[in-house]
């Protein structure tokens, strides 16, 4: 992610609603991918230099994005919401704020990479999000079990993933090296963009050469994986243990790692690190810089007594798959 700066010269972080130096109210413009303090409170004053904040900013203090059309009440990101948590409960409101923060980081990356971000309200094949829970944490809801997942453009996130303690318990229980809220969003978006970029494209054969046959029964494959995963040794050629469950999960894992890489490399470039790279830089250069940057990140984390920021080793096959994703997003 790029750095942002207030008119007064103070650094602005992506989540800021006010400048910490001069106190000006600020917001993010998804059309220009910049932060601005030129804010209007009414539709009539909307112009190219004056912006109106999303309704979720005024109502719930969970958004700092501008609407992109004077006729809209919600920003591009919040417009994608299909279901949100019960805001009468303080924990759920706090979880929703975390969910929205992670979603906006995903949407920022998608917009930066010039990928289509169209909501289901505008297009049937568009994107939407539902943030729900099940009876394990809320006996008052109908759902017995909610899995984080994707179906026909609707991304479902179990809202308990926004609770740091519960998510870490899940990570330990499943034996995962890495589990974050942003990681969930990036992974599930991979399923959506498979349908948009690969499924009906001539590149499907290349996909099958790299990832396998995506037509293998999905439900049966996942049932087998979860029933036997403790006895399945991790294939070192695949990017993660979970990637072994089905070719579509392998794809989504690789897609998420690609977004991890390009966003982190762009952030490093914004801080003028020589290990940083711009979004559309040549891919071989990206890989070299990512190798150096991930080693540095892991070393910094260890110096702070933390787990590795990127606890993965990329095989030659994984690198070919990442190159395939890059070729779809940034065709030469």
């Amino acid at each position: 992610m790029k750095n942002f700066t207030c008119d007064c010269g103070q650094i602005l972080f992506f989540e800021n609603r006010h400048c910490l130096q001069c106190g000006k109210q600020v917001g993010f413009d998804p059309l220009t991918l910049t932060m601005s303090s030129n804010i209007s409170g009414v539709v009539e004053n909307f112009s190219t230099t004056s912006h109106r904040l999303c309704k979720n900013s005024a109502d719930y203090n969970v958004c700092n994005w501008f609407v992109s059309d004077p006729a809209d009440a919600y920003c591009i990101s919040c417009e994608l919401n299909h279901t949100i948590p019960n805001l009468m409960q303080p924990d759920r409101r706090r979880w929703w704020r975390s969910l929205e923060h992670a979603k906006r980081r995903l949407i920022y990356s998608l917009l930066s990479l010039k990928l289509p971000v169209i909501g289901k309200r505008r297009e049937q094949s568009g994107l939407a999000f539902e943030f729900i829970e099940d009876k394990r944490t809320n006996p008052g809801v109908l759902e017995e079990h909610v899995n984080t997942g994707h179906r026909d453009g609707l991304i479902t996130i179990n809202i308990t993933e926004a609770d740091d303690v519960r998510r870490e318990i899940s990570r330990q229980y499943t034996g995962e090296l890495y589990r974050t809220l942003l990681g969930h969003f990036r992974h599930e978006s991979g399923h959506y963009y498979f349908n948009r970029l690969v499924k009906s494209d001539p590149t499907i054969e290349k996909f099958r050469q790299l990832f396998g046959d995506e037509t293998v029964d999905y439900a049966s494959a996942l049932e087998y994986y979860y029933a036997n995963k403790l006895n399945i040794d991790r294939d070192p050629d695949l990017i993660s243990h979970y990637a072994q469950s089905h070719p579509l999960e392998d794809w989504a894992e690789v897609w998420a790692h690609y977004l991890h890489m390009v966003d982190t490399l762009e952030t490093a470039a914004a801080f003028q690190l020589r290990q940083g790279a711009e979004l559309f830089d040549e891919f071989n250069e990206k890989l070299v810089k990512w190798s150096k940057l991930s080693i540095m990140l892991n070393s910094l984390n260890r110096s702070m007594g933390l787990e590795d920021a990127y606890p993965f080793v990329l095989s030659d096959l994984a690198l070919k798959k990442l190159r395939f994703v890059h070729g779809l997003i940034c065709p030469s």
Side-chain angles (χ1 to χ4, degrees):
M1 179 170 291
K2 295 179 179 177
N3 280 340
F4 306 103
T5 308
C6 180
D7 296 338
C8 72
Q10 174 73 14
I11 289 178
L12 295 174
F13 296 103
F14 185 59
E15 293 79 12
N16 280 158
R17 296 184 70 246
H18 292 87
C19 173
L20 300 179
Q21 172 101 353
C22 68
K24 275 186 180 178
Q25 189 176 17
V26 296
F28 179 79
D29 182 359
L31 294 180
T32 61
L33 301 179
T34 59
M35 299 282 283
S36 173
S37 61
N38 295 315
I39 297 174
S40 168
V42 293
V43 175
E44 289 77 7
N45 290 340
F46 190 96
S47 70
T48 57
T49 58
S50 182
H51 307 86
R52 183 164 49 86
L53 285 164
C54 174
K55 192 172 187 294
N56 280 336
S57 173
D59 290 355
Y60 299 109
N61 193 26
V62 297
C63 184
N64 68 338
W65 280 27
F66 299 131
V67 299
S68 301
D69 186 307
D72 293 336
Y74 295 98
C75 70
I76 290 174
S77 179
C78 290
E79 187 188 48
L80 302 176
N81 288 343
H82 179 273
T83 309
I84 63 172
N86 179 0
L87 303 184
M88 298 300 291
Q89 299 174 303
D91 276 352
R92 275 54 175 180
R93 185 177 289 226
R94 176 171 53 84
W95 291 350
W96 183 41
R97 182 177 290 109
S98 297
L99 288 159
E100 291 296 338
H101 284 174
K103 173 157 67 74
R104 283 196 297 276
R105 281 195 170 255
L106 167 69
I107 302 303
Y108 169 87
S109 292
L110 300 178
L111 293 173
S112 297
L113 292 167
K114 306 186 187 309
L115 289 164
V117 180
I118 304 170
K120 279 191 173 296
R121 291 184 178 89
R122 301 177 186 269
E123 183 181 293
Q124 186 176 358
S125 62
L127 186 60
F129 294 85
E130 62 174 4
F131 304 137
I132 56 178
E133 59 183 318
D134 56 43
K135 288 184 179 295
R136 291 174 296 175
T137 53
N138 187 351
V141 300
L142 295 176
E143 292 80 4
E144 292 289 342
H145 191 92
V146 171
N147 287 320
T148 292
H150 166 270
R151 187 184 182 111
D152 298 328
L154 178 63
I155 291 176
T156 299
I157 306 287
N158 188 317
I159 63 172
T160 58
E161 290 291 336
D163 183 275
D164 294 340
V165 173
R166 295 174 192 269
R167 189 176 62 253
E168 178 59 20
I169 290 172
S170 295
R171 188 189 73 80
Q172 294 282 352
Y173 178 76
T174 56
E176 295 173 327
L177 295 176
Y178 177 91
R179 189 183 183 103
T180 68
L181 197 52
L182 180 54
H184 282 308
F185 278 94
R186 286 173 171 164
H187 174 99
E188 300 306 336
S189 75
H191 291 296
Y192 173 71
Y193 284 100
F194 173 83
N195 292 336
R196 294 202 72 120
L197 301 178
V198 183
K199 190 174 182 179
S200 302
D201 192 272
T203 56
I204 189 66
E205 290 306 320
K206 176 65 173 176
F207 170 89
R208 289 170 179 163
Q209 291 172 18
L210 289 171
F211 295 88
D213 183 3
E214 83 288 355
T215 65
V216 170
D217 187 84
Y218 182 80
S220 298
L222 260 64
E223 182 180 357
Y224 176 83
Y225 173 78
Y226 282 113
N228 299 278
K229 68 176 182 176
L230 296 179
N231 300 317
I232 300 175
D233 292 332
R234 180 176 179 269
D235 185 340
D237 275 341
L238 299 187
I239 208 160
S240 70
H241 194 287
Y242 185 55
Q244 299 173 213
S245 61
H246 190 275
L248 290 177
E249 295 303 335
D250 187 12
W251 156 266
E253 287 286 87
V254 172
W255 176 273
H257 278 252
Y258 181 82
L259 295 183
H260 291 333
M261 290 172 58
V262 296
D263 188 40
T264 307
L265 285 166
E266 185 188 38
T267 303
F271 283 94
Q272 300 180 342
L273 297 181
R274 55 187 175 83
Q275 296 88 353
E278 299 296 337
L279 289 178
F280 299 103
D281 280 355
E282 197 274 327
F283 193 62
N284 286 333
E285 183 181 355
K286 276 183 184 292
L287 293 179
V288 171
K289 289 184 173 182
W290 178 247
S291 176
K292 296 177 180 178
L293 182 62
S294 60
I295 290 172
M296 182 174 71
L297 287 172
N298 290 343
S299 298
L300 288 170
N301 266 29
R302 292 175 191 181
S303 295
M304 293 293 294
L306 300 172
E307 297 293 328
D308 285 353
Y310 191 75
F312 301 95
V313 177
L314 300 177
S315 68
D316 288 342
L317 179 58
L319 293 174
K320 289 178 181 178
K321 292 174 180 177
L322 287 164
R323 189 182 302 277
F324 175 75
V325 172
H326 180 76
L328 290 172
I329 296 175
C330 307
S332 55

